[in-house]
Each structure stands twice: as C-alpha cells, then as structure tokens.
C-alpha cells in the first residue's frame, strides 16, 4: 500500500530517497515551494516518523486544494 506524507521542504536534505517512491527532482512541491509530498510503500521511513500519514483518497483531496493546485489558465 502506498502512503503519503507532507513535510516542509527544509527537511528534504534529511530524506533518504532510496526509501521513497520519488526522487528529490520528481517529488511534488506546493505552489509556494514550502512543502513537499513524500510517497512510500510499506513501513514509514524513520526520517518521516511523527508526520501525519495519508491514504490515496485523503491526499488527492489535499492536493486538489489551492496550496497545491493553481486555477490559473496557462
């Protein structure tokens, strides 16, 4: 099962991307760049301990919000 966590971008330097689904460059960041989405499968990595875990349905609701998705037409 895939699990999702939102962390501050200041914490990315402490991530072990071998334990995550995405790399630093392919991770999703909030529109203002202050938060990053970390995805993993299995046990929560130690560097994410204490962070709120979300399932797919929960994270989709969060990511559709204004902090993550722009309504601007490009």
């Amino acid at each position: 099962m895939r699990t999702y966590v939102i962390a501050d971008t200041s914490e990315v330097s402490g991530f072990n991307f071998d334990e995550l689904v995405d790399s630093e460059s392919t991770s999703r960041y909030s529109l203002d760049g202050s938060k990053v989405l970390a995805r993993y499968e299995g046990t929560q990595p130690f560097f994410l301990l204490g962070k709120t875990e979300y399932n797919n349905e929960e994270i989709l609701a969060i990511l559709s919000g204004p902090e993550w998705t722009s309504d601007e037409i490009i």
Side-chain angles (χ1 to χ4, degrees), residues 1-68:
M1 182 176 100
R2 189 162 290 176
T3 306
Y4 306 84
V5 168
I6 295 173
D8 292 333
T9 53
S10 61
E11 299 173 80
V12 169
S13 63
F15 285 10
N16 176 358
F17 284 95
D18 291 336
E19 297 182 53
L20 300 176
V21 173
D22 299 303
S23 68
E24 184 172 357
S25 64
T26 61
S27 292
R28 182 162 176 183
Y29 291 84
S30 61
L31 294 176
D32 68 2
S34 66
K35 296 181 181 173
V36 61
L37 177 67
R39 304 185 301 161
Y40 57 91
E41 295 178 348
T43 305
Q44 187 177 36
F46 75 93
F47 54 88
L48 295 175
L49 289 178
K51 303 281 185 204
T52 302
E53 295 178 300
Y54 301 98
N55 64 32
N56 188 62
E57 183 179 327
E58 293 167 328
I59 203 65
L60 287 176
I62 292 168
L63 296 179
S64 67
E67 191 171 9
W68 294 88

